[in-house]
Amino acid sequence: MRALILVGGYGTRLRPLTLSCPKPLVEFANKPMIIHQIEALKQAGCTEVVLAINYQPEVMMGFIEEWQEKLGVKIVCSQEKEPMGTAGPLALARETLDDGKGTPFFVLNSDVICDYPLKDMLDFHKARGAEATILVTKVDDPTKYGVVVMDEYGQVQRFVEKPKEFVGDKINAGIYVCSPSILKRIELRPTSIEREVFPHVAADNMLYAYTLNGYWMDVGQPKDYLKGLHLYLDSMAIRQAASLAHGPGISGNVLVDPTAKIGEGCLIGPDVSISAGCVIGNGVRLSHCVIMRGVQIKDHTKVDLSIIGWGSRVGTWSRLENHCVLGEDVQCKDELYLNGAVVLPHKEIKDSVPSPAIIL
Amino acid sequence: MRALILVGGYGTRLRPLTLSCPKPLVEFANKPMIIHQIEALKQAGCTEVVLAINYQPEVMLGFIEEWQEKLGVKIVCSQEKEPMGTAGPLALARETLDDGKGTPFFVLNSDVICDYPLKDMLDFHKARGAEATILVTKVDDPTKYGVVVMDEYGQVQRFVEKPKEFVGDKINAGIYVCSPSILKRIELRPTSIEREVFPHVAADNMLYAYTLNGYWMDVGQPKDYLKGLHLYLDSMAIRQAALLAHGPGISGNVLVDPTAKIGEGCLIGPDVSISAGCVIGNGVRLSHCVIMRGVQIKDHTKVDLSIIGWGSRVGTWSRLENHCVLGEDVQCKDELYLNGAVVLPHKEIKDSVPSPAIIL
């Protein structure tokens, strides 16, 4: 089976992290985002994955070489010369996606982390004889999203983008199963699959929706990234509890890379991930935060609700809270208070940031 | 003769421009900053220039290949493994700078744009038998800088960093002539030439200061960049007036690349530079601003006191003022008001920015 992952553009919503690293390679729960997806695709039977990219192809190529072997999945790049939207890339990758035997293929948005139900979705797609099946998920506040209205069999009647009044609470979760016949509907130009292709499939009664039962998050921006981590670790606690950290200084769900060092008297958790090569000092309090590779957190410091980028240093007796995001290699002096500080890579922070600010 | 240009680090003060391009390659008056310096060094007799860099060597190397031929000057890179300060790089490049015959060499900070008096400075250095000669320039407010205190012959008595009371109004302009004997005083470690080396040279009565008569600016941040452009174009108006733009729609000093197109009914100037491939629409008002390569400014728009980065698009009937800085490829919709908007590369601006803000 084949799959296409829409990697797309500049990842501006996940800046400053994406100023150092293309978004799909930014780690989520200590593993590049795109690996979470490729592993799920492999489990569902995919042997070939196309990455539709239009930015920094050299970096993606390097990554692909490294991971193809590890994963045992063939990974190819489809490079867009201009941004092709959400359907254009399918036309561009037509040769790879259509195996000539009518085998369906998956399409994933690269920001989506969820309890991937890919095999079940595929079975449902075949059972319904659909041309396309959209994964939908229930949300509390549908007004920010594209709501999918369907009947009790899952046949989609219509989409409503950002509805002002209630039409339903299932939204497009950004994962599709498509039969190759859909490619006839897509021209090789910048196109939106949701706005220009799916409505026609729905008009032909061939568009279905499969409801996701597990967790879902679009982790393309820091706040949602942290929420997504909470959901992901929650799921790990149920299915892979042994991979989480345990011990006297651990509270709630915490993921720690084996090469990370944690000092004495720390209290870590809940909802914390600590990546490879990190050095956490003594008496450090970490909660609801992400510590990327190679970060140093010095003694007696407290970090809450924040993301600390690769190679950064947070000084002693410091307090970081309220959605700080430190880019790569940010060096903070000791004894600082950072409230909602968003710091670009390679900066030195010498003074406190008392209220939310971007540090250029 | 040889020279060393301290290119150094990440250029964070000139973000967002330096998120797309290393600082020395950012154009000033339509020419990469570092080319202004290398051309001046060539005019003073330099045949070999060392670039002391510690970031993005690949980009600099590509640039060097291109420009070595054009300029007829040998350019080599000296790459610092860790930031070496302002003296360390001299020790690192010892072999290149010391020709064994006692010939002095120049040292330049890469942010300095001025009326380079290099030949005169060299003559002065030799006449005084100095071991090092610092270029100094007179400023109105010396309190932000390093003030150089000297006698009537130019012999330096002392430096005072950011003096609270008045000690003098000549500051270190970031350009030095050094005799090779100074290299004996510099260890191969991160060192500040101003704080750790020059005071010893001064104590031996071998440190002199040469006063700059013309314009000077440290263009390492947007506000100073614009001030520097004013000074530079002012100097061009005196010496190379034919290179400036003339005509009915031009006011004051304006520099326009021959490949740029300007529409009807525009009023451009004063103190504007427009780079290669730009397309300025009809009825556009530009003042005190920098339009980088490939920018489009649409009809009836007014831009004042701002820098528009490479490939950006400013929409119709828009007003940009108060130190906007648009990074590379910023796409602005029509009819917007941007007040002090600092926008990172590849952003789309759909709404006005009514008060100064950084757009991530």
Side-chain angles (χ1 to χ4, degrees):
Chain A
M1 273 193 69
R2 324 280 172 90
L4 179 95
I5 303 183
L6 293 161
V7 171
Y10 300 108
T12 64
R13 289 183 307 151
L14 207 52
R15 287 172 167 168
L17 298 176
T18 46
L19 291 173
S20 299
C21 178
K23 191 177 54 170
L25 302 189
V26 173
E27 292 97 335
F28 177 81
N30 297 349
K31 185 159 53 179
M33 279 194 210
I34 208 171
I35 297 302
H36 287 267
Q37 302 186 320
I38 297 178
E39 285 181 340
L41 288 165
K42 180 181 175 182
Q43 249 199 346
C46 281
T47 50
E48 194 166 339
V49 177
V50 182
L51 306 182
I53 61 178
N54 66 28
Y55 183 55
Q56 290 195 317
E58 333 74 49
V59 189
M60 292 305 298
M61 301 293 193
F63 150 86
I64 284 168
E65 276 186 46
E66 187 193 332
W67 282 91
Q68 258 196 136
E69 270 207 55
K70 285 195 218 181
L71 293 169
V73 169
K74 185 175 173 198
I75 307 174
V76 295
C77 266
S78 172
Q79 200 190 339
E80 300 161 34
K81 298 207 173 2
E82 49 163 347
M84 292 289 274
T86 47
L90 277 74
L92 198 62
R94 195 186 300 270
E95 306 294 311
T96 313
L97 296 174
D98 187 352
D99 73 347
K101 302 179 208 157
T103 316
F105 56 87
F106 293 103
V107 179
L108 270 63
N109 274 290
S110 68
D111 290 348
V112 171
I113 294 287
C114 71
D115 197 7
Y116 303 101
L118 302 178
K119 185 91 185 41
D120 293 342
M121 224 180 134
L122 180 63
D123 291 342
F124 171 87
H125 175 87
K126 290 176 178 171
R128 291 288 187 267
E131 188 174 63
T133 299
I134 308 176
L135 185 69
V136 295
T137 182
K138 185 164 178 285
V139 293
D140 296 325
D141 178 18
T143 59
K144 313 191 291 177
Y145 298 95
V147 174
V148 181
V149 182
M150 66 205 97
D151 67 18
E152 67 262 38
Y153 297 107
Q155 192 179 115
V156 175
Q157 284 138 357
R158 60 194 175 107
F159 289 91
V160 187
E161 276 291 320
K162 298 182 179 45
K164 293 189 174 59
E165 42 173 44
F166 186 85
V167 293
D169 60 359
K170 306 284 197 315
I171 63 153
N172 180 351
I175 294 178
Y176 316 130
V177 179
C178 297
S179 293
S181 54
I182 206 176
L183 295 167
K184 296 194 200 75
R185 301 183 192 263
I186 305 172
E187 293 170 28
L188 188 60
R189 60 174 180 81
T191 321
S192 160
I193 201 172
E194 299 86 3
R195 283 197 300 278
E196 297 176 66
V197 181
F198 284 163
H200 294 116
V201 181
D204 290 345
N205 294 326
M206 301 268 278
L207 182 65
Y208 282 80
Y210 178 83
T211 304
L212 172 64
N213 274 326
Y215 65 92
W216 178 89
M217 203 75 222
D218 171 342
V219 297
Q221 54 189 349
K223 284 185 179 166
D224 294 334
Y225 182 120
L226 290 174
K227 278 193 216 163
L229 184 64
H230 163 76
L231 294 169
Y232 181 89
L233 294 180
D234 199 43
S235 171
M236 273 188 85
I238 298 167
R239 305 198 189 155
Q240 296 172 276
S243 301
L244 293 177
H246 299 94
I250 304 293
S251 163
N253 298 326
V254 175
L255 184 65
V256 183
D257 185 274
T259 63
K261 294 180 177 27
I262 300 180
E264 312 258 315
C266 293
L267 180 55
I268 315 279
D271 297 329
V272 175
S273 69
I274 300 175
S275 191
C278 289
V279 180
I280 313 297
N282 300 317
V284 170
R285 177 82 184 92
L286 302 178
S287 50
H288 311 287
C289 62
V290 176
I291 314 295
M292 298 284 198
R293 266 178 293 118
V295 164
Q296 299 175 56
I297 311 280
K298 298 298 185 185
D299 295 358
H300 314 299
T301 276
K302 178 180 181 332
V303 180
D304 179 50
L305 263 184
S306 296
I307 300 176
I308 313 299
W310 314 269
S312 291
R313 171 203 190 269
V314 179
T316 54
W317 279 290
S318 296
R319 183 183 179 97
L320 275 63
E321 59 188 16
N322 192 22
H323 297 288
C324 291
V325 185
L326 305 196
E328 180 186 17
D329 181 35
V330 172
Q331 307 295 316
C332 302
K333 282 187 144 25
D334 298 331
E335 303 187 30
L336 298 183
Y337 173 55
L338 303 189
N339 173 10
V342 174
V343 187
L344 266 63
H346 310 295
K347 283 298 285 189
E348 205 190 336
I349 304 294
K350 303 181 196 178
D351 303 299
S352 290
V353 179
S355 60
I358 297 171
I359 313 294
L360 209 57
Chain B
M1 274 194 68
R2 323 282 172 90
L4 178 95
I5 303 182
L6 292 162
V7 171
Y10 301 105
T12 64
R13 291 183 306 152
L14 207 53
R15 285 172 168 169
L17 299 175
T18 45
L19 291 173
S20 300
C21 177
K23 191 177 54 170
L25 303 189
V26 173
E27 292 96 335
F28 177 82
N30 297 350
K31 185 158 53 179
M33 280 194 210
I34 208 172
I35 297 303
H36 287 267
Q37 303 185 319
I38 297 178
E39 285 180 339
L41 287 166
K42 181 183 176 183
Q43 248 198 348
C46 280
T47 49
E48 193 167 338
V49 178
V50 183
L51 306 182
I53 60 178
N54 63 30
Y55 182 55
Q56 291 196 316
E58 331 78 45
V59 189
M60 292 306 296
L61 292 171
F63 150 87
I64 284 168
E65 275 187 49
E66 187 195 331
W67 282 91
Q68 258 195 135
E69 270 205 56
K70 284 196 218 182
L71 293 169
V73 171
K74 183 174 174 198
I75 308 173
V76 295
C77 265
S78 171
Q79 201 191 339
E80 301 162 35
K81 299 208 174 355
E82 50 163 345
M84 292 289 274
T86 47
L90 275 73
L92 199 61
R94 194 186 300 271
E95 305 293 313
T96 312
L97 295 174
D98 187 349
D99 72 348
K101 302 178 205 151
T103 315
F105 56 88
F106 293 103
V107 178
L108 270 63
N109 275 291
S110 67
D111 289 348
V112 171
I113 293 288
C114 70
D115 197 7
Y116 302 100
L118 301 178
K119 186 91 185 40
D120 293 342
M121 223 179 134
L122 181 62
D123 292 341
F124 172 86
H125 175 86
K126 289 175 177 169
R128 291 288 187 269
E131 190 174 62
T133 299
I134 308 177
L135 185 70
V136 294
T137 184
K138 184 164 179 285
V139 293
D140 296 325
D141 178 18
T143 58
K144 313 189 291 173
Y145 298 95
V147 174
V148 181
V149 182
M150 68 206 94
D151 68 16
E152 66 262 38
Y153 297 106
Q155 193 180 116
V156 175
Q157 284 138 357
R158 57 194 177 107
F159 290 92
V160 187
E161 277 290 317
K162 299 181 179 47
K164 293 189 177 56
E165 44 172 42
F166 186 87
V167 292
D169 59 1
K170 305 283 198 313
I171 62 153
N172 180 352
I175 293 178
Y176 316 130
V177 178
C178 296
S179 292
S181 53
I182 206 176
L183 295 167
K184 296 194 200 74
R185 303 184 190 260
I186 306 173
E187 294 172 28
L188 189 60
R189 59 174 180 80
T191 321
S192 159
I193 202 172
E194 300 85 5
R195 282 197 301 278
E196 297 178 67
V197 181
F198 284 163
H200 294 118
V201 182
D204 290 346
N205 295 325
M206 303 267 279
L207 182 66
Y208 282 80
Y210 179 84
T211 304
L212 173 65
N213 275 325
Y215 64 92
W216 178 87
M217 205 74 222
D218 170 341
V219 298
Q221 53 187 349
K223 284 186 179 165
D224 294 336
Y225 182 119
L226 291 174
K227 280 193 213 163
L229 185 65
H230 163 76
L231 294 169
Y232 182 89
L233 294 179
D234 201 42
S235 171
M236 274 187 86
I238 297 166
R239 304 193 188 162
Q240 299 173 278
L243 294 179
L244 293 178
H246 299 95
I250 304 292
S251 164
N253 300 326
V254 173
L255 184 65
V256 183
D257 185 275
T259 62
K261 295 180 175 32
I262 299 180
E264 312 258 315
C266 292
L267 181 54
I268 314 279
D271 297 328
V272 174
S273 68
I274 300 176
S275 192
C278 288
V279 180
I280 312 297
N282 300 316
V284 171
R285 178 81 184 94
L286 302 178
S287 51
H288 311 287
C289 61
V290 176
I291 314 296
M292 299 283 198
R293 268 180 290 120
V295 164
Q296 298 174 57
I297 310 281
K298 298 300 185 185
D299 296 358
H300 314 299
T301 275
K302 178 182 181 331
V303 179
D304 179 50
L305 262 184
S306 296
I307 302 175
I308 312 299
W310 315 269
S312 291
R313 172 204 189 267
V314 178
T316 55
W317 280 290
S318 294
R319 183 184 180 97
L320 275 64
E321 58 188 18
N322 192 23
H323 297 288
C324 291
V325 186
L326 305 196
E328 179 187 16
D329 182 35
V330 171
Q331 306 294 316
C332 302
K333 282 188 145 21
D334 299 332
E335 302 186 31
L336 298 183
Y337 174 54
L338 302 189
N339 173 10
V342 176
V343 186
L344 266 64
H346 310 294
K347 283 298 286 187
E348 204 191 336
I349 303 294
K350 303 181 196 179
D351 302 299
S352 290
V353 179
S355 61
I358 299 171
I359 312 296
L360 212 57

